[in-house]
Amino acid sequence: MAGVVGGEERGLEQGGKRQREAGTEPPAAAKRLKEEEEAGEQGRKSPKRKVVLLLAYSGKGYHGMQRNVGSAQFKTIEDELVKALVKAGCIPENHGDDMRKMSFQRCARTDKGVSAAGQIVSLKLWLIDNLVEKINENLPPGIKILGLKRVTGRFNSKNTCDARTYFYMLPTFAFAHKDHGQTEFRLSGEALGYVNKLLGCYKGTHNFHNFTSGKGPKDPSAKRYIMEMFCEDPFVRQGMEFVVLKVKGQSFMMHQIRKMIGLVIAIVRGYAPESIMDQSWGEEKVDVPKAPGLGLVLDTVHFEKYNSRFGNDGVHEALEWTDVEEQIMAFKEDHIYPTIIKTEIEEQSMANWLGTLPIHDFTATASGVQLNENHSKKTSDELDDGSDAAESD
């Protein structure tokens, strides 16, 4: 009997081996693959839903927000996000190669090194269980999804946005007069008032053709509406005094905010007269300096019109994030502020940039009236994306 049983066991083993070799009984790895395929098929039977994700990130080490498929050497925030979405199982892998398949749109492009505390992206995905947690599990520590809301099928985070608020964090020695030292500088109340007086001049509609590239004074899209711009009270971190400047506008062109701040710094430090501001909105070409990108952060995006129409329709939620304000502040304190402070101390980006201000000639208009060159629609779109920056520099 033992020989018969042993023979049966050997026969079963040999039969199983023949089945595996013939492909009729797949090995464990193949079984898992089959299960994943079946799960994917089940997911594909479920319709995707249009949602928005509230995204915060530290931009240091990344070449901006927008993904450039085929340019792996330039890592972007969206590269990390797409990989996490695929790994979380809420989009098919091929959607990462062609983001139009998931109707992906970001509210604002941000430039190399620029951070965000309240970026909004809209896209279609499968609403799987514990979705936000699963995405975050596959993201690096400096990038985090803070919220998710369902939106209307035609929602577009860029086009539906009414306004954007950025803040710019900088050491106050940037406002020290050029004839005075900046070691252990502290911003006086009088100096803060002067800074706010200059920043307030930006409020309203102006022609900002001198605050970007590729646009002439006759280009209608160079006119932008600024709702508010001001400097908050100073504070000290690691022995260095900082301030936060805030600006809210309908939309911003490439480098516009950094140039707005750069010009105010040039005036406060004594390199340029106050009259340069009015002159910069005229037709003459003005050499406007561009402040470093390090301190710039996309803070909040606003959807007042959408909220008024759909926020209380019983189906969709208003795009407001009061329930995660503590998480937003925690992310700023853990990832954004420390990165700006540490980088400024180690690399001295503001101090080095201040050393370039003397090379600017704020009285020269040798180029005369800036020509309103005709640009292709593609170029216009690239320069006008509701963000301060759309390129790496």
Side-chain angles (χ1 to χ4, degrees):
M1 287 292 292
V4 173
V5 172
E8 288 177 351
E9 290 176 348
R10 285 192 294 274
L12 288 171
E13 289 175 0
Q14 292 172 354
K17 182 178 180 181
R18 286 193 296 270
Q19 285 180 319
R20 287 193 292 272
E21 290 174 349
T24 57
E25 184 178 327
K31 282 183 177 179
R32 285 197 299 271
L33 180 59
K34 184 178 180 181
E35 289 171 357
E36 290 173 2
E37 290 175 349
E38 289 174 351
E41 289 295 331
Q42 183 63 35
R44 281 188 280 274
K45 292 176 183 177
S46 302
K48 297 187 188 70
R49 302 299 183 188
K50 177 67 75 72
V51 303
V52 296
L53 300 176
L54 175 65
L55 180 67
Y57 52 85
S58 172
K60 183 175 174 59
Y62 292 95
H63 284 258
M65 170 71 181
Q66 188 172 2
R67 191 174 193 219
N68 297 307
V69 178
S71 300
Q73 71 271 30
F74 298 116
K75 184 173 62 173
T76 70
I77 300 298
E78 287 178 12
D79 286 330
E80 303 283 9
L81 178 59
V82 168
K83 285 190 294 185
L85 292 172
V86 172
K87 290 180 179 178
C90 57
I91 63 168
E93 188 169 356
N94 64 352
H95 283 25
D97 298 326
D98 186 356
M99 298 172 72
R100 291 173 299 180
K101 291 181 178 179
M102 56 178 162
S103 302
F104 187 94
Q105 185 60 262
R106 84 283 304 163
C107 186
R109 284 181 283 185
T110 52
D111 197 4
K112 176 183 177 182
V114 176
S115 300
Q119 173 74 278
I120 292 287
V121 299
S122 57
L123 70 160
K124 290 181 178 179
L125 45 68
W126 292 313
L127 294 176
I128 61 177
D129 293 337
N130 303 316
L131 178 54
V132 171
E133 291 81 356
K134 288 180 179 177
I135 298 172
N136 283 330
E137 286 173 0
N138 293 287
L139 285 172
I143 305 175
K144 189 174 183 179
I145 304 297
L146 299 177
L148 178 152
K149 292 182 187 289
R150 287 280 305 276
V151 289
T152 59
R154 294 186 178 182
F155 183 92
N156 179 303
S157 58
K158 173 189 169 185
N159 298 336
T160 312
C161 184
D162 301 311
R164 299 154 177 89
T165 296
Y166 284 80
F167 73 76
Y168 189 91
M169 183 174 168
L170 76 163
T172 57
F173 64 69
F175 295 125
H177 193 275
K178 61 184 174 72
D179 295 331
H180 300 126
Q182 56 193 44
T183 304
E184 297 183 357
F185 178 82
R186 294 294 182 262
L187 189 67
S188 68
E190 182 181 1
L192 177 60
Y194 184 45
V195 170
N196 272 318
K197 172 192 170 184
L198 295 174
L199 294 175
C201 293
Y202 285 121
K203 292 174 64 174
T205 301
H206 300 285
N207 189 332
F208 286 99
H209 71 95
N210 275 310
F211 294 77
T212 188
S213 58
K215 290 186 184 289
K218 303 296 185 182
D219 190 334
S221 67
K223 290 187 176 181
R224 299 291 161 132
Y225 176 54
I226 305 300
M227 300 170 184
E228 60 181 7
M229 190 168 188
F230 60 92
C231 180
E232 296 181 340
D233 292 334
F235 56 93
V236 177
R237 295 286 179 90
Q238 297 186 33
M240 185 179 291
E241 188 178 66
F242 289 85
V243 287
V244 169
L245 281 62
K246 286 193 173 180
V247 55
K248 180 180 180 181
Q250 287 181 334
S251 60
F252 300 94
M253 297 178 292
M254 179 175 64
H255 299 154
Q256 180 185 337
I257 296 173
R258 290 163 62 186
K259 282 179 172 274
M260 291 167 70
I261 293 169
L263 188 59
V264 167
I265 292 174
I267 295 171
V268 174
R269 289 183 66 83
Y271 287 106
E274 286 186 40
S275 59
I276 196 73
M277 296 188 78
D278 286 334
Q279 183 181 342
S280 70
W281 299 323
E283 294 194 354
E284 291 180 333
K285 176 66 176 175
V286 175
D287 182 15
V288 178
K290 178 180 65 179
L294 172 65
L296 186 63
V297 179
L298 174 62
D299 192 40
T300 312
V301 288
H302 308 270
F303 298 93
E304 283 88 354
K305 292 178 183 176
Y306 174 87
N307 290 343
S308 176
R309 183 175 179 184
F310 297 106
N312 297 305
D313 65 359
V315 178
H316 305 94
E317 299 177 80
L319 297 183
E320 297 170 346
W321 307 96
T322 54
D323 58 324
V324 293
E325 280 184 356
E326 290 186 4
Q327 292 186 51
I328 294 172
M329 281 305 303
F331 190 90
K332 290 179 181 179
E333 292 289 347
D334 292 342
H335 297 284
I336 295 179
Y337 296 155
T339 297
I340 293 173
I341 295 167
K342 183 174 185 289
T343 305
E344 181 58 47
I345 292 174
E346 292 179 352
E347 300 180 9
Q348 300 184 347
S349 60
M350 178 57 71
N352 291 333
W353 175 78
L354 291 174
T356 69
L357 285 179
I359 69 174
H360 291 270
D361 187 349
F362 298 99
T363 62
T365 56
S367 59
V369 176
Q370 189 177 26
L371 297 177
N372 182 24
E373 300 177 359
N374 293 320
H375 297 278
S376 67
K377 184 178 186 301
K378 181 175 184 245
T379 301
S380 177
D381 289 344
E382 287 174 348
L383 295 177
D384 186 9
D385 188 26
S387 87
D388 175 67
E391 69 174 10
S392 297
D393 59 27

